[in-house]
Amino acid sequence: MSTTTPQQLVERALAASSADDSIVIVRDTSSANLRWANNTLTTNGVMVGVDVTAISFVAAGDGVAVGTSAGSASTLEQVSALVEAADAAARSAAAAEDAAELLGDRVSPDWDAAPERTDIRVYDAFAPALGEAFRAATAEDRVLYGFVNHDVVTTYLGSSRGLRLRHVQPTGHYACTGKDAGLSRSAWVGGATRDFLDVDASSMAEKVKQRLAWAERQVELPAGRYDTILPPSSVADLMIDAYWGAGARVANEGESVYSKRGGGTRIGEQLARAGVHLYSDPAYAGLECAPFNVAGASDNTESVFDNGLELGRTDWVTDGRLAALLQTRHSATLTEQPVTPMVDNLVLEVDGARGSEQDLVAGMEKGLLLTCLWYIREVDPQTMLLTGLTRDGVYLVEGGEIVGAVNNFRWNESPIDLLNRFSQASEAVPSFSREWGDDYFSRTATPALRIPDFNMSSVSQAQ
């Protein structure tokens, strides 16, 4: 490995640029993972890498043009090549419509610190317990498949205006799928963690075992609307879509569920039932994330000009009322609303909610427990209608108890509609989206929701 420090890469990039202004983002990433199949550990590995994004700004008529270049770089020469490419791209680009004054003169107190790293020792407690789970599964004719991953990314953000910001982000997740020996039943359990100190492999395997036992009785049901409990993981799936679709500019142009008829956004309007709160907070315990904005490119929800903006708690929905949308400084001038950039976590809470997912099940006379959503896609942005499939366990509830598993379905629902129609909610707990958590967005806290008329639009043949 190169002995060049991330700070040296930042300073070389800034010094090498011939543009009027420049920003450089250096990400030092380390990753450790384990994979298993057929009750056997199949692979494990540790990876380390450094990625650099160079952003150049040059005067273009009455505006500012932007050029970017990104890639793996661990030497001063590699960084200089990226900067040269970013400078050239800026000089050939048209003026950027999101141009704004760059931020500067702020230094993190730990700027000079070395990057933090993970390694395979993060699984020192998890791995032996996983081995015991393999032995128990083999003895009881179950088969386990799964994956755990732990990343530590140290980000260094520097600019020609004096920004020197550093943030360390640990991110981990686990996922385990179990099948019976005949491969006729399957169940999934997954979750997020910062350090694996709170992950118990034996507990994970026991949950898989319990869900497979629920599925010993198989029941065929037709498509229709069912009283359905969505666990926190499935609620996270849906809320992440609602969050990603909350771009202020798109809403202001009449293209989303957050658009106001006749023009503008629905900020200030009642979007969900009273008592619903959706917010992000970089300091939320267990979901901590970067307290400043990092953007390698501009789009409808992010702007490279906003690099370094301080982030704090942002309330997106307050007591059911839409309070804010994803705003760059540019979109904020169009909507005449405060600047509210994206934050890398999301929390959904409901006033007065008590108990857990299991408590909701205990209170249900007849309905479904839908443990896993899959292959979620947007059908209509104007209503945020989503479609997807169920997977690895839809369970039948009768008299407050789970009495069997039912076939899979295709479903069609809008997360915004669900926030108006749910009949019960549990307390919010740290959750993990199976659809989006692995690679995109793993820091969520959500409740379980009971939906009295969840739309299972058709039967799926997926097994």
Side-chain angles (χ1 to χ4, degrees):
M1 288 293 295
S2 168
T3 57
T4 307
T5 68
Q7 295 90 337
Q8 289 172 326
L9 297 178
V10 169
E11 299 305 335
R12 168 57 70 92
L14 296 176
S17 177
S18 60
D20 297 322
D21 277 301
S22 60
I23 290 174
V24 61
I25 304 165
V26 176
R27 290 184 175 92
D28 182 286
T29 301
S30 58
S31 176
N33 64 77
L34 305 175
R35 292 181 182 271
W36 60 92
N38 297 318
N39 298 337
T40 303
L41 195 66
T42 56
T43 61
N44 63 77
V46 175
M47 296 175 287
V48 177
V50 179
D51 294 302
V52 176
T53 299
I55 310 170
S56 299
F57 305 84
V58 299
D62 294 331
V64 178
V66 179
T68 63
S69 181
S72 176
S74 58
T75 67
L76 300 179
E77 293 74 18
Q78 289 171 330
V79 165
S80 295
L82 288 174
V83 171
E84 183 179 350
D87 286 352
R91 291 194 172 89
S92 64
E97 65 174 356
D98 59 328
E101 188 71 17
L102 296 179
L103 304 175
D105 293 327
R106 197 164 89 251
V107 180
S108 294
D110 59 354
W111 169 258
D112 291 327
E116 296 186 17
R117 297 269 173 83
T118 190
D119 59 39
I120 207 69
R121 290 174 295 179
V122 74
Y123 305 120
D124 278 354
F126 181 88
L130 183 64
E132 291 299 321
F134 291 159
R135 283 185 279 274
T138 299
E140 298 171 1
D141 292 327
R142 290 188 308 280
V143 185
L144 301 179
Y145 307 81
F147 178 69
V148 290
N149 188 74
H150 189 248
D151 294 326
V152 175
V153 179
T154 308
T155 299
Y156 296 83
L157 171 64
S159 80
S160 55
R161 297 291 184 96
L163 286 179
R164 298 293 186 276
L165 303 177
R166 177 182 181 272
H167 176 71
V168 179
Q169 185 66 67
T171 303
H173 73 269
Y174 61 93
C176 184
T177 301
K179 295 181 180 292
D180 66 311
L183 305 182
S184 62
R185 292 174 278 143
S186 65
W188 175 87
V189 171
T193 179
R194 288 175 64 85
D195 51 22
F196 276 87
L197 295 177
D198 57 347
V199 181
D200 181 359
S202 60
S203 176
M204 175 189 73
E206 279 299 311
K207 290 180 181 178
V208 171
K209 176 181 176 180
Q210 180 187 53
R211 292 183 176 187
L212 286 174
W214 289 343
E216 287 182 0
R217 178 191 176 204
Q218 300 282 324
V219 180
E220 296 294 321
L221 290 180
R225 290 187 175 271
Y226 290 93
D227 194 0
T228 301
I229 294 170
L230 302 178
S233 60
S234 295
V235 174
D237 287 327
L238 299 173
M239 290 305 107
I240 290 171
D241 262 299
Y243 187 38
W244 285 344
R249 177 169 181 172
V250 172
N252 195 58
E253 294 174 350
E255 298 177 9
S256 81
V257 70
Y258 304 105
S259 301
K260 186 176 183 178
R261 283 190 180 180
T265 74
R266 295 176 63 187
I267 291 176
E269 292 185 11
Q270 199 72 19
L271 186 77
R273 60 185 287 179
V276 170
H277 304 273
L278 186 68
Y279 64 93
S280 298
D281 184 353
Y284 189 95
L287 306 180
E288 295 90 346
C289 61
F292 55 86
N293 193 57
V294 182
S298 293
D299 57 25
N300 281 324
T301 59
E302 292 189 304
S303 170
V304 293
F305 292 90
D306 292 346
N307 271 298
L309 279 177
E310 294 187 61
L311 303 176
R313 171 166 170 157
T314 303
D315 293 295
W316 309 108
V317 176
T318 302
D319 199 19
R321 178 180 55 84
L322 183 62
L325 293 169
L326 300 173
Q327 299 268 18
T328 64
R329 283 187 288 170
H330 173 63
S331 71
T333 65
L334 303 176
T335 62
E336 299 181 342
Q337 293 287 337
V339 180
T340 47
M342 179 175 282
V343 180
D344 199 24
N345 64 23
L346 190 65
V347 180
L348 176 68
E349 295 176 342
V350 178
D351 287 345
R354 296 289 184 270
S356 65
E357 170 191 332
Q358 291 73 29
D359 293 317
L360 296 189
V361 170
M364 175 179 274
E365 183 56 34
K366 187 170 184 178
L368 301 177
L369 171 64
L370 197 171
T371 59
C372 184
L373 305 180
W374 179 57
Y375 205 71
I376 302 171
R377 297 294 183 268
E378 188 176 64
V379 176
D380 178 15
Q382 297 286 345
T383 60
M384 193 164 280
L385 179 65
L386 305 177
T387 190
L389 301 171
T390 67
R391 185 180 184 183
D392 294 326
V394 183
Y395 301 102
L396 180 63
V397 179
E398 291 181 345
E401 295 184 357
I402 296 172
V403 298
V406 306
N407 46 276
N408 281 309
F409 296 96
R410 173 168 291 281
W411 54 269
N412 291 287
E413 281 290 0
S414 163
I416 305 304
D417 283 350
L418 296 182
L419 291 179
N420 282 283
R421 288 167 31 218
F422 72 89
S423 58
Q424 288 180 281
S426 70
E427 293 182 49
V429 295
S431 55
F432 178 71
S433 162
R434 185 176 187 182
E435 181 79 350
W436 310 119
D438 287 4
D439 299 313
Y440 302 107
F441 202 96
S442 64
R443 283 173 281 279
T444 54
T446 49
L449 294 179
R450 180 174 173 180
I451 312 298
D453 55 352
F454 193 87
N455 183 19
M456 303 295 189
S457 57
S458 63
V459 172
S460 169
Q461 300 305 314
Q463 297 294 323

